[in-house]
Amino acid sequence: MAKNKNTEQKIFDAATELFMEKGVDRTSVRDIASKAGINLALMNYYFRSKENLFDAIFTNLVKENTRELLKILDSDMDLEEKVQNYVNAYIDILTSNPLLVPFFMAIIHRSQDKITKMKMISNLYGTEKFSQQIVDEGKKGTIRRTDPSHFFVDMISLITFPFAIRPLIMDRNEMSAEDFNLFIHERKEHVTNLLLKNMKDC
Amino acid sequence: MAKNKNTEQKIFDAATELFMEKGVDRTSVRDIASKAGINLALMNYYFRSKENLFDAIFTNLVKENTRELLKILDSDMDLEEKVQNYVNAYIDILTSNPLLVPFFMAIIHRSQDKITKMKMISNLYGTEKFSQQIVDEGKKGTIRRTDPSHFFVDMISLITFPFAIRPLIMDRNEMSAEDFNLFIHERKEHVTNLLLKNMKDC
DNA sequence: GTCTATACGGCGATAGAC
DNA sequence: GTCTATCGCCGTATAGAC
């Protein structure tokens, strides 16, 4: 199908995989060159430095993986439908790439500069409309009055954290990768219910 | 109070701080020696290697910070009281050391060996009695039938994840460290309620 | 136990030939 | 654009004097 990838793309793809698997700091430019099947010097020819390459990869990963989620948050669905869609979509994304969460966790801890954080916030955390909706529906009485910042933190905690401790969950319960996916799949309904139930008076 | 720390302890303490702040891989033995105010060679005299030193520190951190939590899980409190105590104690521990979560996240991703994971599981995740209690109370009808593995994952997700994304939360909401602690303090009651409410029929 | 001095390898990066 | 060769630096680790 796709014709032979060009060199730049080969470097980019190899580095993406390695950064996610082993972490940025445990990946050397020699690893990248060898995995991409290219010469060591070419990494510096196309990207000026390893840090620069990392930047490009990071920006790309954020964009690729948050577009759909932002669309849902900014849509005109009612809150219940929105939460349900968000949880499902988010879990699907992470299931198809379970290393995303550990990778982002590492980056948060690694990079203290504003720019990197802003990239994550404006995407992973871009919830102006969503927050407003929670406040509004609380006032109207559709739902119980809810603090949007806690609600949002609850939601992403319940969705993403299991992927951060995936090796522990798998080991502890003697799960295969498939078993884990099943466990995570169960969480779609579980998490949605937990969140929605809490918004309703009872 | 304490008399002058001996060399071994100085190395241990300096390394602990650096590992948590900058991560193991971004901390060099020269950093450690300089921070501890000792000579480079002494690290190798007392601990055979950096990796060995890391092992000692990791084991110590796990033990120090989970003892109290395990005691609660293994106690004879009823479920409601137990959850409440666990959430409060856990959040207190993390508040007094906000770098613990990012540090452990990094280690999970970094070390794939069984031994390291077992240390975490048998401590952070040692919940035989607790799981049984959830099943039992579900059968008796005290609470709604609840899957213990999901419940436990929910609980630690809600407690710990905010610390993993602490820099993002602070930036996004323009919080100081104090503001963040306040936000986290609010979560004690919030998380407890969320969890307990879900266990009750309504 | 503590220090100096140093070996050794791997790292990121570049100059320069082709 | 791609390669070879190499630089300078830093990381871990050790030998040996005190």
Side-chain angles (χ1 to χ4, degrees):
Chain A
M1 196 69 55
K3 32 175 285 196
N4 257 337
K5 283 190 273 188
N6 63 22
T7 303
E8 186 172 358
Q9 194 62 43
K10 275 194 277 187
I11 297 172
F12 192 89
D13 292 346
T16 301
E17 266 189 60
L18 286 170
F19 284 169
M20 300 239 284
E21 267 168 42
K22 313 205 304 169
V24 179
D25 295 322
R26 291 172 87 80
T27 300
S28 74
V29 294
R30 284 171 173 81
D31 288 340
I32 298 170
S34 134
K35 172 145 192 166
I38 53 99
N39 187 275
L40 173 62
L42 288 176
M43 193 280 290
N44 269 84
Y45 176 77
Y46 283 104
F47 307 89
R48 285 197 338 274
S49 68
K50 181 186 169 185
E51 206 61 22
N52 221 48
L53 171 56
F54 160 69
D55 244 39
I57 288 176
F58 175 74
T59 306
N60 176 256
L61 280 175
V62 171
K63 208 171 49 181
E64 287 281 301
N65 289 291
T66 54
R67 203 177 327 116
E68 193 189 344
L69 297 175
L70 286 180
K71 223 174 73 189
I72 294 175
L73 287 184
D74 277 347
S75 74
D76 290 325
M77 304 176 194
D78 65 38
L79 203 53
E80 191 163 332
E81 193 186 353
K82 191 174 279 194
V83 168
Q84 192 175 325
N85 272 273
Y86 186 82
V87 171
N88 286 343
Y90 210 152
I91 286 184
D92 282 338
I93 290 169
L94 297 182
T95 301
S96 71
N97 194 349
L99 290 173
L100 273 174
V101 173
F103 177 74
F104 280 109
M105 297 294 96
I107 302 310
I108 293 174
H109 193 210
R110 189 187 120 102
S111 316
Q112 284 138 325
D113 63 291
K114 280 256 173 207
I115 303 132
T116 311
K117 279 191 284 181
M118 289 316 288
K119 280 182 197 156
M120 303 183 95
I121 289 169
S122 61
N123 285 278
L124 284 170
Y125 219 138
T127 58
E128 227 39 82
K129 177 167 183 175
F130 185 63
S131 298
Q132 197 52 52
Q133 194 170 1
I134 292 174
V135 174
D136 288 347
E137 299 209 16
K139 279 186 191 152
K140 277 197 308 187
T142 325
I143 57 164
R144 200 161 59 77
R145 280 169 195 270
T146 307
D147 182 330
S149 56
H150 282 295
F151 183 83
F152 195 69
V153 168
D154 293 344
M155 187 165 68
I156 58 177
S157 300
L158 291 166
I159 294 170
T160 63
F161 190 74
F163 288 92
I165 57 166
R166 191 175 100 115
L168 296 190
I169 294 179
M170 287 176 64
D171 245 56
R172 152 83 187 182
N173 302 299
E174 292 176 353
M175 289 176 176
S176 65
E178 229 173 299
D179 295 335
F180 180 80
N181 285 350
L182 220 78
F183 177 76
I184 287 295
H185 181 76
E186 288 170 15
R187 289 188 67 76
K188 286 184 181 175
E189 212 191 320
H190 175 77
V191 168
T192 307
N193 284 343
L194 183 51
L195 289 169
L196 292 180
K197 194 168 168 184
N198 191 249
M199 288 197 313
K200 288 172 188 158
D201 275 318
C202 56
Chain B
M1 197 70 54
K3 33 177 282 195
N4 256 338
K5 283 190 270 188
N6 62 22
T7 303
E8 184 173 359
Q9 194 63 42
K10 275 194 275 185
I11 298 172
F12 192 89
D13 292 346
T16 301
E17 264 188 61
L18 286 170
F19 285 169
M20 300 240 283
E21 264 168 44
K22 315 204 305 167
V24 179
D25 296 323
R26 291 173 88 80
T27 300
S28 76
V29 294
R30 282 177 167 83
D31 289 341
I32 298 171
S34 133
K35 172 144 194 168
I38 53 98
N39 187 275
L40 175 60
L42 288 176
M43 194 278 291
N44 268 83
Y45 176 77
Y46 284 105
F47 307 89
R48 285 196 337 276
S49 68
K50 181 187 168 185
E51 206 60 22
N52 221 48
L53 171 56
F54 160 69
D55 245 39
I57 288 176
F58 175 74
T59 305
N60 176 257
L61 279 176
V62 171
K63 209 171 47 182
E64 287 282 301
N65 289 290
T66 55
R67 201 177 328 115
E68 193 189 344
L69 296 175
L70 286 180
K71 221 174 74 188
I72 294 175
L73 287 184
D74 277 347
S75 75
D76 290 325
M77 303 175 194
D78 65 40
L79 203 51
E80 192 164 330
E81 194 187 352
K82 190 174 279 193
V83 168
Q84 193 175 321
N85 272 273
Y86 186 81
V87 171
N88 286 343
Y90 210 151
I91 286 184
D92 281 339
I93 291 169
L94 297 182
T95 300
S96 72
N97 193 349
L99 289 174
L100 273 175
V101 174
F103 178 74
F104 280 110
M105 299 292 96
I107 302 311
I108 294 175
H109 193 210
R110 188 187 121 103
S111 317
Q112 283 135 329
D113 64 292
K114 281 255 171 205
I115 303 130
T116 310
K117 279 191 286 181
M118 289 316 289
K119 279 183 199 155
M120 302 182 97
I121 290 170
S122 62
N123 284 278
L124 283 170
Y125 217 138
T127 58
E128 226 41 81
K129 177 167 183 176
F130 185 64
S131 298
Q132 197 53 51
Q133 192 170 3
I134 292 173
V135 174
D136 288 348
E137 298 210 17
K139 279 187 189 150
K140 277 196 307 186
T142 325
I143 58 162
R144 200 161 60 76
R145 279 170 196 270
T146 307
D147 182 331
S149 57
H150 281 295
F151 183 82
F152 195 69
V153 168
D154 293 343
M155 188 165 68
I156 58 178
S157 300
L158 290 166
I159 295 169
T160 63
F161 190 74
F163 289 91
I165 59 167
R166 191 175 101 116
L168 295 190
I169 294 178
M170 287 175 64
D171 244 57
R172 153 82 188 184
N173 302 300
E174 291 175 352
M175 290 175 175
S176 66
E178 227 174 300
D179 295 334
F180 180 80
N181 285 350
L182 221 77
F183 177 76
I184 287 296
H185 181 76
E186 288 170 16
R187 288 189 68 75
K188 285 184 181 175
E189 210 190 323
H190 176 77
V191 168
T192 307
N193 283 342
L194 182 50
L195 289 168
L196 293 180
K197 193 167 168 184
N198 190 248
M199 288 198 312
K200 287 170 188 160
D201 276 316
C202 56

